[in-house]
Amino acid sequence: MSWIENINKCRNLASGPGLVNLVAIVSGSSRDSAFWASALNAVKADVLSPNAAIPIVPLAEDTPAGNFLGTIKAWNSVCSAGPVPTTGLSLMTMVFGQGRRFSPFTQTCGNRKAAFPTPCRGPRSGAYLRTGDLALLYSSLWLHHLATSGFHGVLVKWGDEATIPSTLWTPSPLLAGVDLVRFVWKTRPTEVYAKEKEWFVLDEQTGLIERLIPRQPYDSLTQVLSRYASNRYSTAVNLGSLAVSYRFLEIAGKCLAEALPNPSVAADWDPFVMLLLLTADDEDPTQDPATARGLALAESRCPGLQQAIRNIRAAVRQSLGRDPRCAFLDFGEALWIDLGLHSTLRNTLDALIAETPHGQAVRAFFGVPEQRDTNRNIVVDSSIAPGARIHHSLILDSTILSPATVADHAVIVGSRLGQLQLAHGGAALFSAANDVHFSGPNAVAFRAVERDLTLPAGGRHTTFFAGDAPFPLRSNESIQKYEEAEYMQPILDNPISFQAAGARAATVDPWELEDRWSQAWRSLVL
């Protein structure tokens, strides 16, 4: 299976001499910046290379600038801090995101969604790798392809997800002469994807992206695509993240010199910066009503955006003798791992025990072996009481003391537990409890340290350590929006709201928060 082949390639590449000049970590505060620098230095031999010489450059974006202006500002900061690479590759990971829709687990992680620990242990550090660590580990295949294709620039990667291609890539000399590379899935629009995804029109003759089309209803999307009906063009979903050449970053930095210091402006790469970069000077992008509405909103966030992008296009033309070029890299039907939502976390946990090709790929992703016992369990480095009735489950780095335990299709990771009643499945992640009872399916406990731990179907439970004394916080996967009623007011008998919990977590040093949980986890007498 190509997913597993590419996963293994990533791990082998991360064991090599290193693929990047430096790694820049962009977060939202100086406290976050210090946390991520320390955290990545502890595991960089696992996720980047055993080569300790790769420098880590932590950067703090104190006011949100959007990921386009944020990329340019961050690279300017890298350039001002030391020698500027002009060849080879650098890696920039964006670890913003408090993860409101991941409450209360994100508050337990100090409002750092990408800091959520996973079942994957680093082969050298032995530490549980965080979501942000895996985003770096599994970018190694992307970096290798860019390097062998002759591209020189920065891979800008969102730090809360990882994507494994199903295609097997070969070097593409075309990438040596482009300004941007976007990562895509070649497919045709559907009713659902039309409204949920941005779309690229690909020129198969040149290997370049012709146009970006914002998400919109299927009927209007197909009307726009009718202009590209020949065999020369194909369509693809935008998978996010991108590679930007050093030349383009230098040119854009000069063109945006006046806008970058302004803390009140913001602009994102997608959809409208990319759309404008790909729009010829004699084209009117506002002919499409959906695009016109979106451009007006983008202009309100960053007045003068359209003119600024025209200036960048002109500067590229003057410097390089051509318009900006954007190539694409097809991932095929990618394996996408996102642990920053309750629904996607549950889907990933379900996949860890599924006896399917997708389940095999997810286990390979997290480094979980395939060997099962006679009850179809995968048990790794764990102690289970004789007589416990456990079937079709994953038990990883855990202790289960009671022979009266019943668990079916459960996932237990890094936990110390007495008696479990998980007949409907569910997951206990990095938790400690004497008696655990899940009364329905799809419940997840994360860093819960309780005498008695009872969850309903779809329940979520964590123990919050940012107060004067620890207390439980609960949610349920049926809650999806986390707007005012769910976020700003206490729900489900929680003593405080998720908003208040986030405010408290922000006052505690992130390593202190980790220590409080760790000490409580170790101290609970089973």
Side-chain angles (χ1 to χ4, degrees):
M1 179 187 298
S2 53
W3 281 340
I4 292 178
E5 185 174 344
N6 284 330
I7 287 168
N8 291 333
K9 285 181 179 178
C10 285
R11 289 178 172 271
N12 289 335
L13 288 166
S15 298
L19 297 165
V20 295
N21 298 313
L22 59 87
V23 178
I25 312 173
V26 188
S27 60
S29 70
S30 56
R31 174 171 277 176
D32 282 0
S33 179
F35 169 81
W36 283 110
S38 176
L40 181 53
N41 271 302
V43 300
K44 71 177 183 178
D46 300 315
V47 302
L48 295 173
S49 168
N51 175 14
I54 297 175
I56 308 298
V57 182
L59 301 169
E61 184 182 280
D62 295 326
T63 55
N67 56 42
F68 168 62
L69 291 181
T71 297
I72 308 302
K73 290 175 70 172
W75 188 247
N76 284 356
S77 297
V78 171
C79 294
S80 64
V84 183
T86 56
T87 59
L89 294 169
S90 300
L91 180 57
M92 182 182 294
T93 179
M94 303 283 195
V95 289
F96 300 103
Q98 295 185 3
R100 174 186 286 206
R101 290 181 294 168
F102 203 38
S103 299
F105 294 170
T106 185
Q107 288 85 354
T108 292
C109 293
N111 304 323
R112 297 166 186 88
K113 181 172 66 169
F116 188 80
T118 77
C120 184
R121 300 199 83 154
R124 293 174 179 82
S125 69
Y128 289 106
L129 301 181
R130 299 173 173 83
T131 301
D133 302 327
L134 293 182
L136 296 179
L137 170 63
Y138 288 111
S139 68
S140 57
L141 186 63
W142 311 18
L143 292 163
H144 180 259
H145 180 74
L146 292 169
T148 56
S149 298
F151 183 84
H152 299 284
V154 181
L155 174 60
V156 182
K157 184 77 179 62
W158 315 148
D160 58 356
E161 62 184 32
T163 311
I164 305 297
S166 63
T167 54
L168 300 175
W169 298 328
T170 56
S172 171
L174 171 71
L175 301 190
V178 301
D179 307 297
L180 300 144
V181 181
R182 299 307 307 256
F183 309 110
V184 308
W185 171 30
K186 284 187 182 181
T187 189
R188 297 189 62 80
T190 64
E191 292 276 358
V192 173
Y193 285 150
K195 293 183 290 186
E196 292 183 351
K197 305 292 183 181
E198 281 117 21
W199 292 83
F200 288 122
V201 176
L202 312 179
D203 187 331
E204 297 290 351
Q205 289 186 10
T206 64
L208 301 176
I209 295 178
E210 180 77 13
R211 182 173 179 181
L212 182 146
I213 304 173
R215 62 190 72 187
Q216 56 193 277
Y218 178 78
D219 290 343
S220 62
L221 177 64
T222 53
Q223 184 176 355
V224 175
L225 289 175
S226 66
R227 305 169 202 167
Y228 304 92
S230 74
N231 292 333
R232 174 173 179 170
Y233 299 105
S234 61
T235 56
V237 166
N238 176 16
L239 296 180
S241 298
L242 73 163
V244 192
S245 73
Y246 293 129
R247 296 170 302 184
F248 184 88
L249 288 167
E250 180 183 4
I251 291 169
K254 291 178 180 177
C255 291
L256 296 168
E258 293 185 9
L260 292 177
N262 187 344
S264 64
V265 300
D268 292 317
W269 285 102
D270 297 323
F272 296 107
V273 167
M274 279 303 307
L275 183 149
L276 292 169
L277 283 170
L278 296 170
T279 300
D281 296 340
D282 58 355
E283 289 185 74
D284 180 8
T286 63
Q287 288 181 338
D288 170 27
T291 300
R293 290 191 296 271
L295 280 171
L297 179 61
E299 279 281 337
S300 70
R301 296 179 67 214
C302 184
L305 177 65
Q306 294 185 61
Q307 184 59 53
I309 302 305
R310 282 194 289 269
N311 292 343
I312 292 174
R313 283 178 52 85
V316 169
R317 197 178 305 116
Q318 181 179 13
S319 177
L320 304 177
R322 55 165 177 76
D323 287 332
R325 290 177 180 167
C326 181
F328 59 88
L329 185 55
D330 180 23
F331 275 54
E333 192 166 355
L335 176 67
W336 183 55
I337 304 292
D338 177 3
L339 302 183
L341 295 171
H342 288 299
S343 58
T344 56
L345 171 63
R346 192 250 292 173
N347 291 339
T348 300
L349 294 172
D350 287 346
L352 276 170
I353 51 177
E355 297 189 58
T356 63
H358 179 256
Q360 288 181 322
V362 172
R363 285 189 289 278
F365 180 92
F366 290 108
V368 174
E370 285 295 317
Q371 293 80 9
R372 294 177 183 260
D373 64 20
T374 56
N375 291 321
R376 308 307 297 160
N377 299 311
I378 300 173
V379 181
V380 182
D381 295 334
S382 296
S383 174
I384 302 173
R389 290 174 290 165
I390 301 175
H391 299 83
H392 302 283
S393 297
L394 168 64
I395 314 296
L396 176 64
D397 296 334
S398 294
T399 299
I400 299 171
L401 293 183
S402 174
T405 286
V406 175
D408 191 18
H409 289 85
V411 176
I412 311 297
V413 178
S415 293
R416 301 174 58 247
L417 306 169
Q419 179 174 310
L420 279 72
Q421 295 297 316
L422 271 63
H424 304 282
L429 310 176
F430 311 105
S431 295
N434 295 87
D435 293 295
V436 182
H437 180 239
F438 293 178
S439 60
N442 306 326
V444 181
F446 167 63
R447 287 190 174 174
V449 182
E450 310 284 351
R451 288 287 180 190
D452 299 308
L453 183 59
T454 301
L455 274 71
R460 299 294 186 268
H461 187 114
T462 188
T463 304
F464 188 62
F465 290 94
D468 294 333
F471 56 83
L473 284 176
R474 307 172 188 86
S475 188
N476 195 286
E477 69 174 34
S478 62
I479 299 169
Q480 298 180 5
K481 293 185 178 180
Y482 288 91
E483 294 177 351
E484 182 172 351
E486 300 87 1
Y487 190 72
M488 298 181 182
Q489 303 295 327
I491 61 172
L492 302 177
D493 295 324
N494 288 330
I496 62 174
S497 69
F498 296 136
Q499 182 186 47
R504 289 194 189 183
T507 67
V508 181
D509 179 85
W511 294 115
E512 172 66 18
L513 206 56
E514 297 260 334
D515 288 343
R516 292 180 188 178
W517 159 77
S518 179
Q519 290 177 18
W521 181 91
R522 295 175 188 280
S523 300
L524 184 73
V525 178
L526 298 181

